[in-house]
Amino acid sequence: MTLTRRTLIAGAAALTALPLRAQAQPWQAVLDRAASYDQLHAMAIHQDGRQVLSQAFRGPAVGRIVPIKSVSKTIVAALTGAALDRGEIASLDATLADIAPGLIPAGAADGVGEITVGNLVTMQAGLERTSGGNYGGWIASRDWVADALQRPFVATPGSSMQYSTGSFHILGAVLSQVSGQSLLTLAQRRLGDPLGIEVPAWTRDPQGRYLGGNEMGLTLPAIVRFGEMYRMGGTWNGNQVLSTGWVNQSFQPRTRSQFSGLAYGYGWFLGESGGDRYALARGYGGQIICVVPGLNLTVAITSDPMRPARSGGYFGDLMRLLDQDILPAARAAA
């Protein structure tokens, strides 16, 4: 694959004084390797606030709405920060019993009311997971919030990460309750509108609550714009979308994934490559946002949402693409 005008930053005026050939070379290996992955649909890369690459290799066009799967969790984490910024939640130490007692079902285990917002946004609620092999049974239940909260404790809250969409669905229900608005309305008004992107309606549970933690859809440009907002400390076009404090806290390790080994902050997986720290939003099938503040870099990748992306498989391929091609190209271009 050759590097075309469409894949390069638009307009010579936006580029540095280097010849086009010299500018293109650091990114050619990125394009070549990305094109070789038949599961990878599209990729966009921004560095220093400018578009470096935007390419659909296969699948939907760049401007089409695509499933972002569990990248939805990072969106809900952002909305948690927005609720804290507005004082709707006093702190991450606020408990379910404090702010949303009506969500706690009869028959829930002792201690469920003491689960905090911080436990939910880091997936350290301690309850049995609703993801993996439990996911189908969970979404077949009559009340997804109640089902998630009625599960037994498998760990002490705050002690370890139990990857669970149910934790983020509970969190989404909390955000709706404290704000008096649906999760869709919150996503559009507090993220979509200031970022200038559309957040379309997505899956709802039997009670009409939008699913917190899965099934959202965005365009590739919208995905990269969300990542860029985090890279710039919560700002977009001079407007403060999220507080800088929330963004900084989100990129601090709070726990660790037992599956990938990556640290986890508030909705973001956290890693390091070649001395550069990065934050990663990850969704089933290989949906990715990667923010590398030290390189002024944001990467967005969409992939086939119907095929798995395990750490020992395609997700591992994407991490090699990041480690061996994207980050070296970004360092060369810096």
Side-chain angles (χ1 to χ4, degrees):
M1 177 181 295
T2 58
L3 198 60
T4 66
R5 285 181 179 271
R6 187 162 67 91
T7 61
L8 289 168
I9 188 169
L15 295 168
T16 65
L18 288 173
L20 183 63
R21 180 183 180 88
Q23 292 163 1
Q25 285 175 344
W27 300 105
Q28 188 62 58
V30 174
L31 287 168
D32 290 344
R33 187 182 296 223
S36 73
Y37 296 143
D38 65 357
Q39 195 165 333
L40 195 155
H41 281 180
M43 178 172 60
I45 299 177
H46 286 215
Q47 188 172 23
D48 296 322
R50 300 173 296 181
Q51 180 177 290
V52 176
L53 302 176
S54 181
Q55 180 74 43
F57 300 96
R58 55 191 64 81
V62 165
R64 293 281 301 276
I65 299 288
V66 295
I68 62 171
K69 309 304 284 186
S70 284
V71 173
S72 306
K73 292 178 174 63
T74 311
I75 304 293
V76 175
L79 293 174
T80 304
L84 286 162
D85 292 343
R86 289 163 173 78
E88 293 167 351
I89 298 172
S91 77
L92 291 176
D93 293 328
T95 68
L96 289 177
D98 291 333
I99 60 175
L103 294 179
I104 303 172
D110 290 344
V112 163
E114 300 309 307
I115 293 172
T116 67
V117 172
N119 296 153
L120 294 171
V121 77
T122 57
M123 290 189 282
Q124 296 186 92
L127 296 169
E128 180 185 69
R129 296 182 340 116
T130 63
S131 293
N134 295 334
Y135 189 80
W138 175 57
I139 61 172
S141 69
R142 295 181 179 179
D143 186 327
W144 299 356
V145 170
D147 183 270
L149 288 172
Q150 286 174 324
R151 290 175 179 260
F153 280 107
V154 296
T156 302
S159 66
S160 61
M161 182 179 180
Q162 306 290 327
Y163 188 92
S164 180
T165 299
S167 286
F168 270 92
H169 189 58
I170 297 164
L171 181 56
V174 169
L175 296 176
S176 292
Q177 185 149 322
V178 299
S179 67
Q181 302 176 70
S182 73
L183 202 59
L184 171 61
T185 299
L186 293 174
Q188 185 60 57
R189 291 181 178 175
R190 297 181 177 182
L191 296 175
D193 290 349
L195 292 175
I197 63 177
E198 176 191 359
V199 183
W202 70 97
T203 303
R204 291 190 284 177
D205 72 8
Q207 285 65 49
R209 303 183 186 100
Y210 286 92
L211 174 54
N214 202 359
E215 302 298 343
M216 294 179 72
L218 294 172
T219 66
L220 184 67
I223 296 167
V224 78
R225 189 170 291 193
F226 174 81
E228 280 282 89
M229 179 268 292
Y230 261 86
R231 181 187 68 80
M232 294 186 290
T235 64
W236 182 256
N237 281 343
N239 298 315
Q240 199 75 41
V241 181
L242 299 173
S243 67
T244 301
W246 173 256
V247 171
N248 291 340
Q249 292 170 36
S250 297
F251 290 170
Q252 296 300 312
R254 311 289 169 178
T255 185
R256 187 169 297 276
S257 168
Q258 61 181 306
F259 301 111
S260 68
L262 292 170
Y264 194 71
Y266 296 149
W268 293 88
F269 292 95
L270 306 170
E272 181 270 336
S273 176
D276 291 301
R277 296 181 180 180
Y278 60 80
L280 195 75
R282 175 183 176 183
Y284 183 89
Q287 324 312 321
I288 295 289
I289 308 173
C290 183
V291 177
V292 191
L295 293 173
N296 296 325
L297 184 74
T298 299
V299 179
I301 294 172
T302 62
S303 304
D304 187 339
M306 304 304 292
R307 296 167 62 182
R310 298 184 177 90
S311 296
Y314 176 58
F315 179 70
D317 292 338
L318 293 180
M319 295 305 294
R320 281 186 288 277
L321 175 66
L322 178 70
D323 293 341
Q324 299 174 13
D325 297 291
I326 294 176
L327 292 182
R331 294 180 189 115

